[in-house]
């Protein structure tokens, strides 16, 4: 009991204006330092909803790898069947991931705001408009299917540099769209069509910081999957499930908050601009 009281007293003494985060980078470091267990639990809960997506794509990618590895002549009819089947199923799996991501963003958003939040609040985020979240997140599934189709069936040598840049830019835009959808639903009570429209507008305006998000979060987590080794693949998926999802959710939330503060909150909701941050005067 004495240790608990000492710990609470110590935490209260640390909660001074001087010790509070002064920018989003400090919020990021503070959450990783003080609430990493909370982030780990959130990552595991979110991964439950993403597990079918990871499992399905790993299975199909293994089949595609066997089909194309060291093959003198690739059976493009079978390859087309694999990619299209994977793409169709992924639409439904993206919808399921969206429901879980909404729960993760719900608790992480309140965490970076400095509010009292518990891991169990994850399920409140899941229960808030699950069908709306599922449908909105299914749309990137269609786009990912189209992007993969282009990358697989249009050889790089036949694509101009401008066309390749367009495809990469579109991929980044998809990530920005997902970030805008998830955080909008966690912050505002917004309808389906308004959320859909606002997300694309915010994604375009936040394309530059979201690109930084990709470099910081997504690229390091995809490195293991370029080794074309089954064991390395499994280890990569385990690392992503244990911590990668929560880490990505934290960065995604902070970047989206920056865009929302700049484009929406500064005009309509000034009371939540820089919430959880004490700016230096």
């Amino acid at each position: 009991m004495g240790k608990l009281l000492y710990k609470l007293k110590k935490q209260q003494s640390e909660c001074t204006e001087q010790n509070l985060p002064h920018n989003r980078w400090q919020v990021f470091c503070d959450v990783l330092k003080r609430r990493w267990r909370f982030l780990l639990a959130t990552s595991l809960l979110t991964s439950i909803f993403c597990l079918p997506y990871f499992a399905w794509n790993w299975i199909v990618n293994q089949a595609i790898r066997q089909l194309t590895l060291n093959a003198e002549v690739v059976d493009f009819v079978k390859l087309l069947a694999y990619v299209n089947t994977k793409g169709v199923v992924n639409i439904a799996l993206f919808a399921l991931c969206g429901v879980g991501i909404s729960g993760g963003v719900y608790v992480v958003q309140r965490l970076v705001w400095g509010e009292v939040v518990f891991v169990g609040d994850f399920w409140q985020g899941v229960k808030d408009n699950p069908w709306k979240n599922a449908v909105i997140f299914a749309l990137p599934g269609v786009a990912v299917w189209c992007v993969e189709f282009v990358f697989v069936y249009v050889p790089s040598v036949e694509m101009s540099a401008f066309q390749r840049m367009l495809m990469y830019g579109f991929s980044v835009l998809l990530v920005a769209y997902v970030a805008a959808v998830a955080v909008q639903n966690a912050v505002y009570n917004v309808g389906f069509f308004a959320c859909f429209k606002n997300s694309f507008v915010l994604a375009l305006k936040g394309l530059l910081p979201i690109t930084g998000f990709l470099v910081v979060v997504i690229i390091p987590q995809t490195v293991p999957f370029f080794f074309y080794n089954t064991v390395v693949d499994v280890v990569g998926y385990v690392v992503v499930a244990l911590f990668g999802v929560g880490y990505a959710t934290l960065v995604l939330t902070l970047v989206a908050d920056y865009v929302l503060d700049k484009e929406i909150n500064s005009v309509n909701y000034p009371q939540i601009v820089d919430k959880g941050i004490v700016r230096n005067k």
Side-chain angles (χ1 to χ4, degrees):
M1 185 67 181
K3 290 183 178 180
L4 178 60
L5 291 173
Y6 171 76
K7 187 176 181 180
L8 290 172
K9 185 177 180 181
K10 183 180 178 182
Q11 289 177 343
Q12 289 175 351
S13 65
E14 291 176 348
C15 291
T16 63
E17 184 172 313
Q18 184 180 359
N19 293 329
L20 289 174
H22 300 299
N23 52 57
R24 287 189 172 83
W25 170 249
Q26 290 185 6
V27 173
F28 170 76
C29 295
D30 187 67
V31 171
L32 288 182
K33 178 182 177 181
R34 301 174 184 274
R35 303 301 300 273
W36 65 268
R37 293 184 182 86
F38 183 97
L39 209 59
L40 180 65
T42 302
S43 187
L44 288 172
L45 286 172
T46 308
S47 294
I48 293 173
F49 292 83
C50 300
L51 184 61
Y53 171 82
F54 288 140
W56 167 248
N57 282 269
W58 182 80
I59 291 170
V60 179
N61 287 339
Q62 290 297 312
I64 293 175
R65 184 178 299 173
Q66 292 299 319
L67 181 66
T68 58
L69 193 63
N70 300 324
E72 295 182 1
V73 180
V74 176
D75 186 344
F76 278 97
V77 174
K78 186 175 288 188
L79 184 59
L80 176 65
Y82 278 137
V83 173
N84 286 338
T85 303
K86 182 174 78 167
V88 171
V89 175
N90 274 345
I91 295 173
L93 297 181
F94 259 98
L96 181 62
C97 289
V99 176
I101 290 171
S102 297
V105 172
Y106 180 88
V107 293
V108 171
Q109 179 64 81
R110 280 144 186 81
L111 184 65
V112 301
W113 276 349
E115 295 182 354
V116 176
V117 63
F118 302 96
V119 175
D121 293 332
F122 172 90
W123 301 109
Q124 180 60 48
V126 169
K127 290 188 293 184
D128 286 349
N129 301 310
W131 291 109
K132 182 183 77 173
N133 294 329
V135 173
I136 291 179
F137 273 90
L139 297 174
V142 178
V144 169
W145 179 13
C146 296
V147 169
E148 185 170 12
F149 182 90
V150 171
F151 276 121
V152 170
Y153 289 101
V154 180
S156 294
V157 293
E158 296 182 10
M159 296 178 67
S160 68
F162 177 71
Q163 289 173 321
R164 287 198 297 272
M165 289 301 296
L166 279 180
M167 295 305 300
Y168 291 130
F170 184 66
S171 301
V172 175
L173 185 62
L174 287 178
V175 177
Y177 166 82
V178 168
V181 167
V183 177
Q184 268 194 104
N185 284 336
V187 176
Y188 314 117
N189 183 18
V190 61
F192 175 85
F193 291 106
C195 183
F196 176 75
K197 180 191 71 175
N198 293 345
S199 295
F200 273 110
V201 174
L202 292 169
L204 288 170
K205 292 183 177 181
L207 201 57
L208 188 60
I210 291 296
T211 303
F213 158 76
L214 278 175
V215 173
V216 172
V217 177
I218 301 297
I219 292 179
Q221 295 190 57
T222 59
V223 169
F225 305 113
F226 288 99
F227 285 94
Y228 297 102
N229 182 283
T230 302
V231 176
V232 176
D233 276 1
V234 172
V235 172
Y237 280 123
V238 170
V239 171
V240 169
L242 285 176
F243 194 69
V245 173
Y247 176 72
T249 302
L250 173 61
V251 179
L252 176 151
T253 302
L254 290 171
V255 173
D257 280 350
Y258 164 78
V259 177
L260 291 175
D261 278 356
K262 183 179 179 182
E263 302 296 336
I264 296 178
N265 297 337
S266 59
V267 177
N268 299 306
Y269 306 101
Q271 69 273 19
I272 61 173
V273 172
D274 283 342
K275 190 173 181 179
I277 300 173
V278 179
R279 295 287 182 184
N280 289 321
K281 297 179 181 179

